[in-house]
Each structure stands twice: as structure tokens, then as C-alpha cells.
Amino acid sequence: MKPKGFVRRTRQREVILEVLRGTKCHPTADWVYQEVRKEMPHVSLGTIYRNLKTLSEHGEIQELAFGATHSRFDANKELHYHFVCEECGLIEDLDMPVVEGLEEKVAERGYEVTSHRLEFYGLCPDCANNNSMGRAN
Amino acid sequence: MKPKGFVRRTRQREVILEVLRGTKCHPTADWVYQEVRKEMPHVSLGTIYRNLKTLSEHGEIQELAFGATHSRFDANKELHYHFVCEECGLIEDLDMPVVEGLEEKVAERGYEVTSHRLEFYGLCPDCANNNSMGRAN
DNA sequence: CTCCAGGTAATAATTATCATGATCAGTTCT
DNA sequence: AGAACTGATCATGATAATTATTACCTGGAG
């Protein structure tokens, strides 16, 4: 969140952004690593982590922490909400409008609000069906 | 979330719950460990983790992941929202009412919603003041 | 006789380190 | 002006180190 001076323009940064923008899923650092390697077999995992952090500090992408285990990244800079399926782990963007007036309500309590996050948990349409009839696994 | 058979009632589990219920902050596993050790110097960190997981699976506590680094736990079982200060790391419960109709809106899209999470990010009242006048650090 | 605690070893994700190589703004040469 | 040179810095790749968490196993309590 703190744009430090200048960001040098490098090939690996470009590829990482490309990869992120080219997917609708919300990949982990390792997934990005595997993808970038297809185009650039010698990238280092450290470079992936370093750039993902840099990019999110500069607001080019969002870093999301759903489980505690690993972060996920999203090239969609706009504020939007997510659904997390507790069965299959799917994470999807929700095409619902941003709830208005939320941040104002919190600001009234003395906080200086810069953003908010909203996530829903449950079963995605697929898992909901498979579960209602006899057991998926 | 899946109550498996029976939970044996042990002293360490009691102390862990006591500790969690006796704080308004949202401690990490390690913090809980330190606290429990004051009363029970021989607890194992593994026991802390095992019980925190068991307790949250049984709905006695909530497990929260704010940053990606480590989980935090909350003895408050009721649905409520949080504020995270990006300056000092403070995490606080917000005493604002649960937003109605949210989960229904998502359910209309085919999902089976069981819960949701809402978090606000920004500066807490203290940090907001220190920052507006000349620099805290 | 099952479940749980302690202790330790093992994983998994992420971050730090460090020598080498790439990138950039300015300067000189033509 | 524009091409080539230069030094300062920032980024990369490879690996080691941390950190948080989980797995394993043996013995003991309910």
C-alpha cells in the first residue's frame, strides 16, 4: 500500500501480471510460479513472491487470505466480494453490487476506513447438488 | 464444523477456553500457548493447536485468518464483524449490527450459504491521530 | 480400550541473503 | 539530435533460514 519510489519494468513482472490477468481463478503463489515457468523456465520462486508483494503494495493486484495456509491473488483491482466453497475449495467472484454505506458506518465509530472485505462460505451450486443426493466422496 | 462423536473434558481444554474467553483481543495460537503456560507450564504447543482445531470444529470458538501468516482465534461465537488496523495490527470487534439480507442475495445465485465474514481495513482511532500530526515513528 | 497429552520430527508456505545481471537517467562523443 | 558509455541502483536466481502448523508415537487418564 506504500508506493515506494519507482518500480522498474522487468520481463518477469510483466509475465506474472499477464498470467494473473489471464485467469478467472484466484491462484496461489505456487500456481503462478508453475504458469510463469511455462513461459520462462528459469524464474525463481522467490521472484514470484517478491513481485506479488510489490504488485499488491502498488495496488496492481489484490492479496487475499482465505485459509491461513496460503495467500491467493487477484488481478481484479475493483472492490468485489467472494464466495468460498467449503467442500471443493472453489473461490469465485460474486457479481453482486458493493454494499453502500458500510464503511461510513464504521467511520462513525472513529476509525479511518480505507477498504473492506466480504466473503461468503458454504457450498457452491455443484457441491450442493452432489451432496443432497448420495454422497460425492 | 463436524461434531465428531464425543469431546472428552480435559483440564488443558478448559484452560484454553478460559484464556480465550478472558481476552477481548484475537490471539494467535502462540499467544494462547504463552498464556496457558502461566497456569500449566508443561503444556505442549501441539496440544494447543490440537484443541484450538477441535474447539473450532465443534463451534465453541471461531478461527479467523486475517493475514496469511497465522490464524487468530475468537471465543465469541456470535456472528460479528472486525476492524483491522493496517498500522499497528490491532484487531477489534465492531459493535455494529449484522447486515440483513446479504446471504439471501448470494443464495439467489445458486449457492448454499452457511455464513459470511466482513472485515474493515484502515487506521484505528489512535493511529489515525498519531499520523495526522507529525509521524509516530 | 479409546482418546488425549507431551515431546519431537516433519511439512508447507513464505522470507531473507547474496552475488551476479538487468535497467535506468544522465553524460559524452560524433 | 541521437548513438554509445557509465555508474548507481534495483531485480533476479539459487539457496538457506524462518515461521506456523501438522504428523507421529509412546505412555497415561478417563
Side-chain angles (χ1 to χ4, degrees):
Chain A
M1 286 290 177
K2 43 174 63 176
K4 54 166 182 180
F6 203 63
V7 195
R8 191 168 285 176
R9 182 180 159 74
T10 75
R11 171 127 183 72
Q12 17 281 89
R13 228 193 291 274
E14 278 175 20
V15 177
I16 291 172
L17 254 180
E18 256 176 50
V19 164
L20 265 178
R21 293 197 170 131
T23 180
K24 61 289 145 209
C25 74
H26 300 73
T28 63
D30 197 69
W31 187 93
V32 175
Y33 178 48
Q34 303 304 338
E35 287 300 306
V36 173
R37 280 221 286 187
K38 290 178 185 170
E39 185 133 336
M40 194 181 269
H42 290 299
V43 254
S44 159
L45 182 54
T47 300
I48 305 292
Y49 275 104
R50 214 177 317 110
N51 281 311
L52 287 174
K53 182 194 279 185
T54 305
L55 287 168
S56 77
E57 281 175 351
H58 286 257
E60 297 284 328
I61 63 173
Q62 288 188 60
E63 179 174 3
L64 306 169
F66 290 108
T69 41
H70 41 45
S71 284
R72 292 175 170 275
F73 299 88
D74 191 340
N76 184 348
K77 299 191 275 185
E78 302 303 316
L79 179 59
H80 61 286
Y81 303 145
H82 293 99
F83 183 89
V84 181
C85 178
E86 291 172 321
E87 184 80 16
C88 68
L90 175 81
I91 298 175
E92 277 189 328
D93 290 347
L94 288 170
D95 65 337
M96 65 188 281
V98 170
V99 183
E100 297 297 333
L102 277 182
E103 299 188 1
E104 287 77 359
K105 229 181 259 181
V106 177
E108 285 169 12
R109 289 165 168 76
Y111 299 95
E112 198 167 290
V113 186
T114 59
S115 66
H116 70 275
R117 264 181 68 176
L118 175 55
E119 293 143 26
F120 297 86
Y121 295 85
L123 300 178
C124 69
D126 281 356
C127 290
N129 287 333
N130 290 341
N131 263 357
S132 55
M133 359 188 161
R135 294 271 86 175
N137 42 349
Chain B
M1 286 295 176
K2 43 172 66 173
K4 53 166 182 181
F6 203 63
V7 195
R8 191 169 286 174
R9 185 180 159 73
T10 74
R11 171 122 182 76
Q12 17 282 91
R13 228 194 291 273
E14 277 174 22
V15 177
I16 291 172
L17 253 181
E18 256 176 50
V19 164
L20 265 178
R21 294 198 170 131
T23 180
K24 60 292 145 208
C25 75
H26 301 72
T28 63
D30 197 69
W31 187 93
V32 174
Y33 179 47
Q34 304 304 338
E35 287 301 306
V36 173
R37 280 221 288 190
K38 290 179 185 171
E39 185 133 336
M40 193 182 269
H42 290 300
V43 254
S44 159
L45 182 55
T47 299
I48 304 294
Y49 275 104
R50 211 176 320 110
N51 281 311
L52 287 173
K53 181 193 280 185
T54 306
L55 286 169
S56 77
E57 281 174 352
H58 285 258
E60 296 284 327
I61 63 174
Q62 286 188 61
E63 180 173 1
L64 306 169
F66 291 106
T69 40
H70 41 44
S71 286
R72 292 175 170 276
F73 299 87
D74 191 340
N76 183 351
K77 300 191 274 184
E78 303 302 317
L79 179 59
H80 62 286
Y81 303 145
H82 293 99
F83 182 89
V84 181
C85 178
E86 292 172 322
E87 183 81 13
C88 67
L90 175 83
I91 297 175
E92 276 189 329
D93 291 346
L94 288 170
D95 64 337
M96 64 187 282
V98 169
V99 182
E100 297 298 333
L102 277 182
E103 298 189 0
E104 286 77 0
K105 229 180 258 181
V106 178
E108 285 169 12
R109 289 165 168 77
Y111 300 95
E112 198 167 289
V113 186
T114 58
S115 66
H116 70 276
R117 262 180 71 176
L118 176 55
E119 292 144 25
F120 297 87
Y121 295 85
L123 300 178
C124 69
D126 280 358
C127 290
N129 287 333
N130 290 341
N131 264 357
S132 55
M133 359 188 160
R135 294 270 85 178
N137 43 348

